[in-house]
Amino acid sequence: AWAAALLVQLPAPLLAVVTTVVAVAAALGGQRHPHLRATLAGAALVGAAVLTSALVRIEAVTDGPVAALAAERAAVEVVGVVRADPRRVTGTYGDQVVVRLEVQEVVGRGLRHRLSTPVLVLGDLAWEAVPLGARVRTTGRLAPADDDDLAALLPGAAAPVVLDGPDVWWQGADAVRSSIREAVAHRPDDQRALVPALVDGDDQGLDPDLEEDFRTTGLTHLTAVSGTNLTLIVGFLMVLARWCGLRGRWLVVVAAAWIVGFLLLARTEPSVVRAAAMGTVGLLALGSNGRQRALRGLAVAVVALLMVDPGLSVSPGFALSAMATAGIVLLAPGWRDTLARWLPRWLAEAIAVPAAAQLACTPVVAALSGQVSLVAVPANLLVAPVVGPATVLGLAGGLAGLVGVVGDPLGRLLGTGAGWCVGWIVLVARTGAGVPLAALDWGTGPWALAALV
């Protein structure tokens, strides 16, 4: 499936040649090996499905009315739904706000089109107040987009007119995110910024120097939405549900409810959907007969995600997520069981999961950055025991703050506990980044990466 999505990047004539060669090889190989015939037929079917999805998506985005108007740089009026939180960026001509809009209606060149296509809006600071999920109207002049996932850009967009507010579930998610920030508002700056980033990926206000230290020590995954967030909190909820007497299918209901809640809380962007899928696979790996079920789950997750968004095939984040999940599936259960002989099982699991993920991702990180962090695995081992408590306490503090007057002191108390945990993470990141030769320059050629593996 991954190869099929990558093939879309090839020129059409070369794509035709590659497809023909693969088809002939499949036909010849299947004649001598009946089992191989079934395997190749299944692989061909999956590849064809992903390839078809990719071509349809590209056709819809790059050859639709919005892309045609953008090629003419036409002045338009658009109506659409905000699909990502507005983000302020600093440019040559001052601050602007970037918003991803799903355009539902566009008027240009005297014609009105109803559709559903993604457009990136660059507007003034008035866009910063527009909530996620709101339906807005604006005007401007379209421009072509370099990203295949976008139909066009809308730079210099007029101030938005909000036609409809966000749905109730988006309002609830915003309330929880705000409450999480309130629960740690009394903590030092680094802790105040890192707790929301750890719980729901809300990294606004994170110190750039601290982000660099996290990169050096291989802890960047803690500041972004990942499957780890989902796995930790679902694991906690499952323990809590068992303590309350729930068994069997009710546990599945609890897990499914939180996965939906996680998507809303962390936003339904491609990276979040990917994290939710990979986190679910990670949960399968830690159950009984987990390795076999999780390997199937990982394969299904990769195929399904590529069918929904074939562009993930060239996304470094997707590669890292898949590798991290594979590390958790193949390595973490055995490491956990071995460590559990002389450590509490919860602590063994807290150490095994991030260490396995970091080890599996190291060759991919080296290929992308040309560096190997010599402190990444020790740093991840040192922070692993507090990542779970920090995530759970941060979320619990946010939920407690929603209760009202009684919940505010409890929310701040839980937020203080989360702050203490992330304070240790900050200390490890800053100390590890200051170690001589914390990161080693490494080649990105095939032999260098093979040696690293």
Side-chain angles (χ1 to χ4, degrees):
W2 210 324
L6 284 168
L7 286 174
V8 182
Q9 311 300 322
L10 298 176
L14 184 56
L15 174 60
V17 172
V18 171
T19 306
T20 303
V21 170
V22 171
V24 171
L28 294 177
Q31 290 178 355
R32 297 183 180 180
H33 305 283
H35 295 293
L36 180 62
R37 181 187 306 168
T39 301
L40 289 175
L45 181 63
V46 171
V50 174
L51 191 61
T52 301
S53 173
L55 294 174
V56 169
R57 185 181 180 90
I58 290 174
E59 179 74 17
V61 173
T62 61
D63 293 332
V66 173
L69 290 169
E72 300 175 4
R73 298 188 179 274
V76 297
E77 177 184 274
V78 299
V79 174
V81 177
V82 176
R83 291 305 187 197
D85 287 307
R87 182 173 292 271
R88 184 185 295 200
V89 296
T90 301
T92 306
Y93 302 104
D95 289 350
Q96 287 187 307
V97 177
V98 177
V99 181
R100 191 180 180 93
L101 202 66
E102 182 186 334
V103 173
Q104 299 175 335
E105 185 177 308
V106 60
V107 180
R109 295 290 193 259
L111 297 175
R112 182 183 301 271
H113 304 277
R114 296 186 184 276
L115 37 72
S116 177
T117 192
V119 170
L120 194 67
V121 174
L122 289 84
D124 58 24
L125 298 185
W127 283 90
E128 204 167 25
V130 179
L132 177 70
R135 186 166 174 265
V136 300
R137 177 191 292 119
T138 186
T139 59
R141 189 175 294 276
L142 291 173
D146 295 331
D147 192 340
D148 289 339
D149 285 339
L150 294 171
L153 301 176
L154 189 62
V161 177
V162 178
L163 303 177
D164 296 301
D167 294 321
V168 63
W169 46 83
W170 289 123
Q171 296 177 21
D174 282 339
V176 174
R177 286 168 70 97
S178 298
S179 186
I180 292 172
R181 290 193 293 267
E182 287 294 326
V184 293
H186 61 289
R187 302 302 302 163
D189 291 345
D190 287 342
Q191 298 178 20
R192 187 165 61 241
L194 188 55
V195 170
L198 193 64
V199 176
D200 56 40
D202 182 5
D203 59 356
Q204 296 182 16
L206 203 61
D207 182 13
D209 291 337
L210 181 60
E211 288 188 275
E212 182 60 33
D213 291 342
F214 271 58
R215 277 191 287 271
T216 302
T217 53
L219 299 175
T220 305
H221 60 90
L222 297 179
T223 64
V225 175
S226 68
T228 304
N229 306 59
L230 179 72
T231 304
L232 289 171
I233 297 180
V234 170
F236 168 76
L237 291 176
M238 298 288 272
V239 172
L240 191 61
R242 287 193 183 98
W243 182 76
C244 293
L246 297 181
R247 294 292 185 274
R249 294 181 179 178
W250 286 108
L251 294 176
V252 177
V253 171
V254 170
W258 171 246
I259 290 172
V260 174
F262 174 79
L263 287 171
L264 294 175
L265 188 63
R267 309 318 196 190
T268 53
E269 298 178 13
S271 61
V272 178
V273 175
R274 178 192 71 216
M278 296 304 172
T280 304
V281 174
L283 287 172
L284 292 174
L286 298 175
S288 59
N289 194 25
R291 180 175 298 184
Q292 185 176 6
R293 290 192 301 159
L295 280 174
R296 293 195 201 107
L298 177 59
V300 171
V302 168
V303 172
L305 287 170
L306 288 174
M307 289 188 69
V308 173
D309 185 3
L312 289 173
S313 62
V314 291
S315 166
F318 183 53
L320 290 171
S321 283
M323 293 300 295
T325 305
I328 292 172
V329 169
L330 296 172
L331 302 177
W335 291 4
R336 175 201 59 195
D337 294 342
T338 302
L339 290 171
R341 296 174 185 171
W342 53 279
L343 287 175
R345 188 174 179 83
W346 65 267
L347 181 58
E349 195 163 284
I351 293 174
V353 169
Q358 177 63 36
L359 191 67
C361 287
T362 295
V364 182
V365 173
L368 295 171
S369 66
Q371 287 187 328
V372 174
S373 175
L374 301 183
V375 298
V377 171
N380 275 275
L381 289 174
L382 287 171
V383 305
V386 300
V387 171
T391 305
V392 172
L393 288 172
L395 178 63
L399 294 176
L402 296 175
V403 176
V405 178
V406 178
D408 286 341
L410 178 59
R412 287 194 294 270
L413 179 63
L414 294 171
T416 299
W420 287 343
C421 292
V422 300
W424 169 249
I425 297 174
V426 171
L427 178 62
V428 170
R430 293 201 184 281
T431 305
V435 172
L437 293 177
L440 181 68
D441 289 337
W442 197 273
T444 57
W447 292 113
L449 295 178
L452 180 61
V453 171

